[in-house]
Protein backbone atom coordinates (compact mmCIF):
# COMPACT_ATOMS: atom_id res chain seq x y z
CA UNK A 1 0.00 0.00 0.00
CA UNK A 2 0.99 3.59 -0.63
CA UNK A 3 -0.23 6.43 1.53
CA UNK A 4 -0.47 9.96 0.13
CA UNK A 5 -0.76 13.10 2.25
CA UNK A 6 -1.35 16.43 0.59
CA UNK A 7 -0.66 19.91 1.84
CA UNK A 8 -0.39 23.44 0.55
CA UNK A 9 -3.89 24.35 -0.50
CA UNK A 10 -5.55 27.59 0.50
CA UNK A 11 -6.79 30.89 -0.77
CA UNK A 12 -5.10 32.90 -3.51
CA UNK A 13 -6.01 35.88 -5.60
CA UNK A 14 -6.31 35.66 -9.35
CA UNK A 15 -2.84 35.86 -10.84
CA UNK A 16 -1.27 34.49 -7.68
CA UNK A 17 0.52 31.26 -6.94
CA UNK A 18 0.24 28.22 -4.69
CA UNK A 19 2.30 25.08 -4.36
CA UNK A 20 0.79 21.75 -3.44
CA UNK A 21 2.83 18.94 -1.94
CA UNK A 22 2.05 15.24 -1.88
CA UNK A 23 4.13 13.09 0.46
CA UNK A 24 4.23 9.35 -0.21
CA UNK A 25 4.87 6.66 2.38
CA UNK A 26 4.56 2.91 2.53
CA UNK A 27 5.48 0.80 -0.48
CA UNK A 28 6.60 3.79 -2.51
CA UNK A 29 8.47 1.62 -5.00
CA UNK A 30 5.07 0.54 -6.33
CA UNK A 31 4.22 4.11 -7.38
CA UNK A 32 5.41 4.73 -10.92
CA UNK A 33 3.38 7.82 -11.75
CA UNK A 34 2.01 10.62 -9.63
CA UNK A 35 -1.03 12.35 -10.99
CA UNK A 36 -2.87 15.47 -9.96
CA UNK A 37 -6.62 15.80 -10.36
CA UNK A 38 -9.18 18.36 -9.29
CA UNK A 39 -12.90 18.43 -8.68
CA UNK A 40 -15.01 21.56 -8.55
CA UNK A 41 -18.49 21.56 -6.96
CA UNK A 42 -21.01 19.92 -9.25
CA UNK A 43 -18.35 18.80 -11.72
CA UNK A 44 -16.56 15.56 -12.42
CA UNK A 45 -13.02 14.96 -11.30
CA UNK A 46 -10.63 16.09 -14.02
CA UNK A 47 -7.02 15.44 -14.84
CA UNK A 48 -4.57 18.27 -14.18
CA UNK A 49 -1.02 16.92 -14.49
CA UNK A 50 1.11 13.82 -14.08
CA UNK A 51 4.78 13.05 -13.61
CA UNK A 52 6.59 9.79 -14.15
CA UNK A 53 8.70 9.04 -11.13
CA UNK A 54 11.57 7.33 -12.94
CA UNK A 55 12.36 9.82 -15.68
CA UNK A 56 10.54 13.04 -14.80
CA UNK A 57 8.29 13.01 -17.86
CA UNK A 58 5.30 15.29 -17.39
CA UNK A 59 1.88 15.60 -18.96
CA UNK A 60 -0.54 18.49 -18.51
CA UNK A 61 -4.15 19.25 -19.23
CA UNK A 62 -4.53 21.99 -21.82
CA UNK A 63 -6.28 24.19 -19.27
CA UNK A 64 -3.17 24.41 -17.07
CA UNK A 65 -0.36 24.05 -19.59
CA UNK A 66 2.17 26.85 -19.19
CA UNK A 67 0.83 27.79 -15.75
CA UNK A 68 1.23 24.64 -13.63
CA UNK A 69 4.39 22.58 -13.16
CA UNK A 70 4.60 19.09 -11.69
CA UNK A 71 7.85 17.99 -10.10
CA UNK A 72 9.13 15.44 -7.63
CA UNK A 73 11.84 14.92 -5.06
CA UNK A 74 12.86 11.28 -4.98
CA UNK A 75 14.81 11.63 -1.74
CA UNK A 76 11.73 12.93 0.05
CA UNK A 77 9.22 10.73 -1.81
CA UNK A 78 7.26 13.90 -2.41
CA UNK A 79 5.60 15.33 -5.47
CA UNK A 80 4.76 18.97 -6.05
CA UNK A 81 2.35 20.96 -8.15
CA UNK A 82 3.43 24.56 -8.61
CA UNK A 83 0.44 26.62 -9.70
CA UNK A 84 1.07 30.07 -11.15
CA UNK A 85 -1.17 32.64 -12.81
CA UNK A 86 -4.12 31.19 -10.96
CA UNK A 87 -7.63 31.84 -12.25
CA UNK A 88 -10.97 31.65 -10.45
CA UNK A 89 -11.82 28.61 -12.57
CA UNK A 90 -8.92 26.78 -10.93
CA UNK A 91 -10.96 26.68 -7.72
CA UNK A 92 -11.47 23.05 -6.74
CA UNK A 93 -10.43 20.31 -4.39
CA UNK A 94 -7.09 19.03 -5.64
CA UNK A 95 -6.07 15.40 -5.26
CA UNK A 96 -2.77 13.66 -5.80
CA UNK A 97 -2.81 10.05 -6.86
CA UNK A 98 -0.31 7.32 -7.64
CA UNK A 99 -0.45 4.33 -9.91
CA UNK A 100 1.56 1.15 -10.22
CA UNK A 101 4.06 0.42 -12.98
CA UNK A 102 2.93 -1.09 -16.28
CA UNK A 103 -0.57 0.30 -16.02
CA UNK A 104 -2.07 0.27 -19.51
CA UNK A 105 -4.86 2.78 -19.14
CA UNK A 106 -4.12 6.36 -20.26
CA UNK A 107 -2.33 8.50 -17.74
CA UNK A 108 -5.16 11.05 -17.74
CA UNK A 109 -7.77 8.57 -16.54
CA UNK A 110 -8.55 8.73 -12.85
CA UNK A 111 -9.54 5.07 -12.89
CA UNK A 112 -5.96 4.12 -13.73
CA UNK A 113 -4.69 5.30 -10.35
CA UNK A 114 -4.48 2.98 -7.37
CA UNK A 115 -3.83 5.31 -4.46
CA UNK A 116 -5.32 8.69 -3.60
CA UNK A 117 -4.65 11.51 -1.19
CA UNK A 118 -7.34 13.10 0.92
CA UNK A 119 -7.61 16.23 -1.20
CA UNK A 120 -6.85 19.86 -0.45
CA UNK A 121 -9.01 22.88 -1.19
CA UNK A 122 -7.72 25.58 -3.53
CA UNK A 123 -9.81 28.73 -3.80
CA UNK A 124 -8.94 31.52 -6.21
CA UNK A 125 -10.70 34.84 -5.78
CA UNK A 126 -11.20 37.30 -8.60
Amino acid sequence: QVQLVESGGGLAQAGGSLRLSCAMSGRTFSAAVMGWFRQAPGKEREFVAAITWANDNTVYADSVKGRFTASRDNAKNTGYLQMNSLKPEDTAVYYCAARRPFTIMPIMRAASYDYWGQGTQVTVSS
Side-chain angles (χ1 to χ4, degrees), residues 19-78:
R19 189 176 83 155
L20 306 183
S21 299
C22 179
M24 289 198 299
S25 61
R27 299 169 67 88
T28 58
F29 57 85
S30 63
V33 175
M34 177 175 284
W36 293 90
F37 293 79
R38 65 187 182 187
Q39 187 166 19
K43 295 188 176 181
E44 293 188 355
R45 190 169 297 190
E46 65 172 355
F47 173 80
V48 175
I51 183 166
T52 303
W53 217 250
N55 57 17
D56 230 12
N57 284 345
T58 52
V59 179
Y60 297 96
D62 288 343
S63 59
V64 306
K65 204 170 291 183
R67 300 189 296 123
F68 290 12
T69 302
S71 63
R72 88 287 189 264
D73 184 330
N74 278 351
K76 297 181 179 180
N77 284 325
T78 299

Side-chain angles (χ1 to χ4, degrees), residues 43-118:
K43 295 188 176 181
E44 293 188 355
R45 190 169 297 190
E46 65 172 355
F47 173 80
V48 175
I51 183 166
T52 303
W53 217 250
N55 57 17
D56 230 12
N57 284 345
T58 52
V59 179
Y60 297 96
D62 288 343
S63 59
V64 306
K65 204 170 291 183
R67 300 189 296 123
F68 290 12
T69 302
S71 63
R72 88 287 189 264
D73 184 330
N74 278 351
K76 297 181 179 180
N77 284 325
T78 299
Y80 304 95
L81 185 67
Q82 177 66 43
M83 305 185 295
N84 298 330
S85 302
L86 284 164
K87 304 176 181 179
E89 51 264 43
D90 294 320
T91 295
V93 176
Y94 283 70
Y95 299 89
C96 65
R99 72 181 207 176
R100 299 186 188 101
F102 312 116
T103 301
I104 297 174
M105 278 192 284
I107 203 168
M108 296 182 179
R109 283 196 62 186
S112 74
Y113 289 79
D114 304 289
Y115 312 103
W116 289 84
Q118 80 283 5

